[in-house]
Structure formats: C-alpha cells, structure tokens
C-alpha cells in the first residue's frame, strides 16, 4: 500500500516538473520547443486568464517578475515589451544628458579662459609702447610705498603738423598705493637741458633721441627713479577725457589764448570736455607764462587720474579699460592697471596735490637775435623746496608758496642801461606781475652796463635776490650811495639781458 502511494507521488512530482519546464523562458519563444527529443508547447501550461493563455500559445511574454529585487528589499523590476524598453531608454537618455552637460560645462570654461586670454592680449597690444626704448631707462621703485610715473603728452599745435616737436606737457606722478595719495609735478617742456650733442636744448627735444633719453633727463632733474612711462597724443587725450565724462577743474585764471585753441574758459570751476582740455593744456598766455601752463597741466592730469580711478571710472572694470586702451600707450600691463584701479578706487581729492617747477623763461624768442634756444630755468631756492616736498610726499604747492619771497608792494624803478630796445618795458611787465609797484622807467644816464644790477636799499636784500632769480640774470648789489632812484630797489638792465615771461 505504501509502495502504491509512493508511486503516485512520484508520478505527480514528474508531472509538476514537466509543467514547470514548459513554463521556462529562454532567449526566444516559439510555439514549440524541442527538449530532450520531445515536443513541448505552450498549451501544456495552464493560465487562469484566457488572454495570457492565448499569448503564451503564440510565444509572447508580457512580464517577467524578478524576485531577486524583492528579496533584496528593492522594487520588482518588470521587464516587458513596453515597460522594460522605456525604462532602459530613460536611463540611457539620462546618462547621455549628463554627458552632454559635462561637455558643455567644459566648453564654457575653455571658452571663458580663451576669451580672457584673448581680451588681455588685445588690450595689452593696444596699450603697449610702440617703437620705444623706454624700458631701458625705467627702474623699479626703491621704496615700497612710492613709485613715479612720467606722463608725456604730445598735443601738437592748434593745427596738425607732421614735424616732430616733442611733447607739450610733461607731468611726473608720485603714487603712494598704501596711503592712497598722489602728487603731480608739472615740468615745463621748455626746461633747459644739455643733450648728447653737448648743446643747450629744451627738455622736449630729448624725446628726439628716444623715450629713454627723455626719461633719463626728467629723472636727473627731479632726482628720482622713474618706474613707468605713459604717452598720449592729441586725439587720444580728447577721446580719453570724453570717455571719462569730462574733467572737473577749478581754474585760477581765465584761459583765452587763440594760439592754443578756440575754447574760452573763465576762471573758477569748470567741467572740461576733450576740446576744452586740449586748449587748457596748450595755453601759455598766462600770468607766469610756461610756469602757469605747467601748473595747469599738473592740476588737469591729477583730476583726470582721480576721475579714471573713481568707483565709476573707466579703469574700474575690464570692459571700460578696453574702451580707452587705444587712447594712450604705456609699459604698465592691463592686469596692473586694473590692480591699480582696485587699490586706488575711491581716492579723494584731498589725497591729491599738484604743483609746478618754479622759474622763468629766458632767451630770445627770435632766431635772428640769438641762436640759443629760449629755455625755462628753475628758480634755485624755490625749486629746492618744491622738489623736497614732492619727493617726500608733501604738498609741493604749499612749499612753493612758503619758499617764495614776497615782493608785492615793493617800489621798483627800472632803467635801460644797455640800449636794448624793449628791455625796460619787458622787465617792467614781469615785475608788475610779481606784484611790484613800478615808480619810474626809462634809460640810464649811460648805456654801458655789461651786467644787470639790482640795487637795493637797507632791508630789501632778499627781495632784490628774488627779483634776480625770477628774471634769470643780473646781480643784486647793496646801495652805498652811488645810485639815484626813487623807491626801494633800482633795476639797471645790462648787456646780459634776456627776454623773460
């Protein structure tokens, strides 16, 4: 009996195994599968649902449930003709999008890097000094807090000329980055200097021997090492001023010089356009001639630099620097200019001062009278004080005023003792500009004086010496009763006379 039961159970196990084998899914489905030489078909597998039975009969499989995912706690993975394909498509698409995004980011980074490189290369090429030997004369500052920059402006005349005449404005800038302070010194382009030919020339002529020669002469004159050099021409200046939105400047006297330009500028606060700035920088029809011109040039460039380095200035961002990079040339790189902009941004007018080398213009304005050029000669005592204040970062303008001897109200008589036509009138005009009171003018009893004498009475020695220094010729002598004159000082013009302005 037991054997009978075991036989029945064995048959049921074999039958169950055959049914399970019939339901296995291989790499493909067909209505009949050969296994072990026996024909098997989908009909040998029973399904409760009629449609599933029909699909199985045609070899179709709609879903296979993976129990592996269920056992691991994850959701069942349904693999079928639609759901499985969509899932694989979504995953593939996500990987493709992620790959594309990574490539795009990489390309953007590369584009920005290349763009920055190209930008600075373009700006740098515009700023770079062309055909210049300036680098051979430039020296790094010895002290960390101060450096000197020479600005050379070739402004031409009121009309363009192809002939080389050298710069019309020379301004030396002292920059204290740590203290956020700047000082500007106007140097008359007519300042006398000896060049390689051994002859006396105006300082502007040094540029004809190269930028290095000009830098060297200015360095010797002021007694400092110059670290950087900036060149600008007439067109560049006009464009730069207009790009900066104009320059605000308080003029000490009116500008009315037809030889400099058509703009008339009244004394007092002015907002200068590019054209007006050009007229101001060229004008010499002023109370102290080229000294006043140099003072105006220093004051103008001080306010221009303040405007450029202000929070909204044209050197406050790379895009604005690109806008004005073609206006001037310099050895300073675009990176360093932007760095300077960040260091000096917001610099106030109280931290900026300007002054000019004091002195006078001497020599004949006509080549028929003398072959020597008309040059500007610094006043020894006043220039020494201005120079010291400028180099030390002080107020050079105040030093010039403090060092000047007050001759206002001094009673002076002028006599022509050399028979030089117009000498007395020219000297009288200069003394009047200095504030002297002219008591009389005319010819001396004898026209034989080889040397100009400035004769002073007791108590007026320093004033007499100041007159000699301002004229640029002559000698101060104390009156011992040999001369007859009205007033405090007698000026007798001799053969050493030089026209002054």
């Amino acid at each position: 009996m037991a054997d009978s039961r075991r036989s029945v159970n064995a048959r049921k196990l074999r039958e169950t195994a055959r049914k399970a084998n019939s339901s296995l899914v291989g790499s493909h489905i067909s209505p009949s599968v050969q296994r072990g030489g026996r024909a098997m078909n989908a009909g040998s597998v029973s399904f409760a649902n009629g449609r599933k039975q029909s699909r199985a009969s045609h070899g179709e499989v709609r879903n296979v449930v993976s129990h592996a995912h269920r056992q691991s706690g994850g959701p069942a993975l349904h693999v079928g003709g639609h759901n499985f394909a969509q899932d694989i498509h979504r995953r593939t698409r996500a990987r493709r999008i992620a790959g594309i995004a990574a490539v795009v980011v990489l390309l953007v980074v590369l584009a920005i890097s290349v763009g920055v490189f190209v930008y600075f290369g373009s700006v740098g090429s515009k700023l770079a000094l062309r055909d210049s030997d300036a680098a051979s004369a430039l020296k790094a500052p010895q002290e960390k807090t101060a450096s000197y920059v020479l600005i050379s402006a070739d402004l031409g005349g009121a009309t363009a000329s192809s002939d080389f005449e050298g710069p019309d404005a020379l301004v030396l800038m002292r920059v204290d980055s740590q203290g956020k302070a700047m000082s500007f010194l106007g140097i008359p382009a007519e300042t006398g200097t000896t060049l390689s030919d051994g002859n006396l020339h105006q300082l502007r002529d040094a540029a004809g021997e190269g930028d290095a020669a000009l830098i060297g002469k200015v360095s010797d004159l002021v007694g400092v090492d110059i670290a950087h050099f900036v060149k600008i021409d007439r067109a560049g200046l006009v464009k730069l001023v207009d790009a900066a939105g104009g320059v605000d400047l308080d003029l000490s006297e009116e500008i009315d010089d037809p030889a400099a330009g058509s703009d008339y500028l009244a004394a007092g606060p002015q907002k200068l356009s590019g054209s007006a700035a050009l007229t101001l920088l060229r004008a010499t029809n002023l109370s102290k001639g080229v000294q006043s011109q140099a003072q105006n040039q220093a004051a103008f460039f001080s306010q221009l630099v303040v405007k450029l380095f202000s929070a909204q200035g044209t050197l406050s961002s790379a895009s604005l620097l690109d806008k004005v990079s073609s206006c001037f040339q310099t050895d300073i790189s675009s990176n360093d200019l932007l760095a300077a902009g960040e260091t000096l941004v917001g610099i106030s007018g109280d931290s900026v001062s300007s002054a000019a080398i004091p002195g006078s213009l001497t020599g004949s304005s006509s080549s028929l009278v003398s072959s020597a050029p008309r040059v500007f000669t610094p006043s020894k005592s006043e220039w020494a004080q201005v120079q010291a204040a400028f180099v030390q970062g002080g107020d050079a303008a105040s030093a010039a005023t403090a060092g000047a001897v007050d001759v206002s109200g001094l009673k002076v008589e002028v006599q022509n003792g050399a028979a030089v036509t117009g000498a007395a009138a020219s000297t009288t005009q200069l003394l009047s500009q200095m504030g002297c009171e002219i008591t009389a003018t005319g010819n001396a009893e004898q026209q034989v004086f080889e040397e100009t004498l400035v004769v002073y009475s007791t108590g007026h020695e320093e004033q007499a010496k100041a007159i000699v220094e301002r004229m640029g010729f002559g000698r101060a002598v104390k009156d011992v009763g040999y001369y007859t004159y009205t007033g405090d000082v007698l000026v007798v013009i001799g053969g050493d006379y030089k026209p002054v302005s």
Side-chain angles (χ1 to χ4, degrees):
M1 192 69 174
D3 292 337
S4 177
R5 283 196 298 270
R6 283 194 294 271
S7 177
V8 171
N9 289 335
R11 284 196 303 272
K12 288 182 178 180
L13 288 173
R14 287 193 295 272
E15 182 65 26
T16 300
R18 283 195 301 270
K19 291 181 178 180
N21 289 335
S22 299
S23 66
L24 291 177
V25 179
S27 60
H28 65 276
I29 302 297
S30 64
S32 64
V33 179
Q34 299 295 326
R35 179 178 296 273
R38 294 183 58 191
M40 298 181 64
N41 57 62
S44 63
V45 181
S46 298
F47 291 89
N49 187 290
R51 285 181 296 175
K52 290 183 179 181
Q53 181 70 47
S54 175
R55 290 170 182 165
S57 299
H58 289 82
E60 296 180 10
V61 176
R62 298 300 291 181
N63 283 303
V64 175
V65 179
S66 171
H67 292 276
H69 282 271
R70 289 188 184 278
Q71 293 172 358
S72 64
L77 177 61
H78 295 276
V79 182
H82 296 291
N83 296 339
F84 178 74
Q86 291 176 354
D87 188 62
I88 293 299
H89 178 67
R90 282 195 299 270
R91 292 179 181 233
T92 303
R93 181 181 177 187
R95 286 194 296 269
R96 184 182 296 114
I97 291 174
I100 292 174
V103 172
V104 169
V105 170
L106 178 60
L107 290 175
V108 170
V109 171
L110 288 174
I112 292 175
S113 300
V114 172
V116 170
F117 178 79
V118 171
Y119 162 77
F120 281 107
S122 174
V123 173
S125 64
K126 294 177 184 176
L127 290 172
L129 290 167
R130 293 180 284 276
D131 301 324
S132 175
D133 59 354
S136 63
L138 298 175
K139 298 179 181 179
Q142 295 181 352
E143 52 179 314
K144 296 181 180 179
T145 58
S147 60
Y148 295 89
V149 182
L150 177 60
I151 302 172
S152 173
D154 185 354
L155 307 176
T159 58
S161 173
S162 58
D163 296 333
F164 175 81
E165 297 180 353
D168 302 281
L170 292 169
V171 176
L172 188 62
M173 177 171 60
R174 182 184 188 274
V175 182
D176 180 356
S177 300
Q178 293 184 3
K180 280 194 173 184
M182 293 187 292
S183 302
F184 292 77
L185 179 67
I187 305 171
E190 295 84 358
T191 300
T193 189
T194 302
L195 298 184
S196 59
D197 60 3
N199 296 323
L200 180 66
H201 292 267
Q202 293 185 347
L203 183 57
R204 58 158 46 99
D205 295 336
E209 298 183 351
D211 292 334
L214 176 64
I215 294 169
K217 289 299 180 181
V218 173
S219 177
D220 293 340
L221 176 64
V222 184
V224 297
D225 290 333
I226 298 175
H228 299 293
F229 185 54
V230 178
K231 292 176 69 174
I232 191 168
D233 60 15
R234 175 174 55 183
L237 179 89
V238 172
K239 181 180 177 182
L240 184 59
V241 173
D242 290 338
V247 173
D248 296 312
L249 193 62
D250 192 355
L251 303 181
S252 59
E253 59 182 303
E254 68 175 5
I255 304 298
D256 186 13
D257 189 347
S262 59
D263 297 88
Y264 168 77
L265 305 172
Q270 294 283 343
K271 191 176 189 65
L272 304 177
S273 64
S275 173
L278 196 59
T279 299
L280 170 75
L281 297 177
R282 289 171 174 165
T284 58
N285 186 15
L286 304 165
S287 60
K288 294 183 179 181
V290 295
Q291 179 181 334
S292 294
Q293 179 190 32
Q295 175 63 58
N296 285 341
Q297 291 170 347
F300 168 79
F301 278 105
S302 71
Q303 295 309 303
L304 174 61
V305 171
V306 168
K307 187 69 175 288
L308 293 175
F309 285 105
S310 67
Q312 294 78 35
T314 55
L315 297 184
S316 62
S317 71
S319 60
L320 292 175
L321 175 60
D322 184 35
K323 181 179 179 182
V324 301
S325 59
S326 61
C327 297
F328 57 93
Q329 300 174 35
T330 180
D331 67 292
I332 308 173
S333 69
S334 53
N335 278 331
D336 288 342
L337 277 176
L338 291 175
E342 293 177 0
T343 301
L344 298 173
V345 65
I347 188 170
S348 64
D350 296 334
S351 302
V352 178
S353 64
S354 61
I357 295 179
S360 59
L361 191 64
T362 61
S364 175
S365 58
S366 173
S367 60
L368 298 177
V369 177
S370 173
S371 59
R374 201 175 191 201
V375 299
F376 178 85
T377 303
S379 170
K380 293 181 181 179
S381 60
E382 291 180 59
W383 168 224
Q385 296 186 57
V386 170
Q387 179 188 25
F390 175 73
V391 172
Q392 295 169 9
D395 188 347
S398 296
T401 303
V405 176
D406 184 15
V407 296
S408 59
L410 185 70
K411 294 180 173 58
V412 181
E413 179 176 333
V414 180
Q415 296 179 6
N416 189 339
V420 178
T421 303
S426 175
T427 304
T428 297
Q429 182 180 7
L430 171 65
L431 294 173
S432 296
Q433 291 175 351
M434 293 175 64
C436 297
E437 180 183 336
I438 308 301
T439 58
T441 184
N443 293 323
E445 292 182 0
Q446 297 179 342
Q447 308 289 302
V448 294
F449 289 83
E450 296 181 357
E451 180 184 24
T452 298
L453 301 178
V454 179
V455 183
Y456 61 89
S457 58
T458 302
H460 298 291
E461 180 179 0
E462 293 302 319
Q463 293 170 312
K465 289 180 178 180
I467 290 175
V468 171
E469 190 168 331
R470 182 70 179 85
M471 291 191 305
F473 58 90
R475 177 168 58 95
V477 297
K478 185 177 181 180
D479 181 16
V480 291
Y482 294 141
Y483 304 94
T484 302
Y485 58 94
T486 58
D488 305 312
V489 173
L490 168 66
V491 177
V492 183
I493 300 172
D496 60 346
Y497 165 80
K498 298 176 182 177
V500 295
S501 63

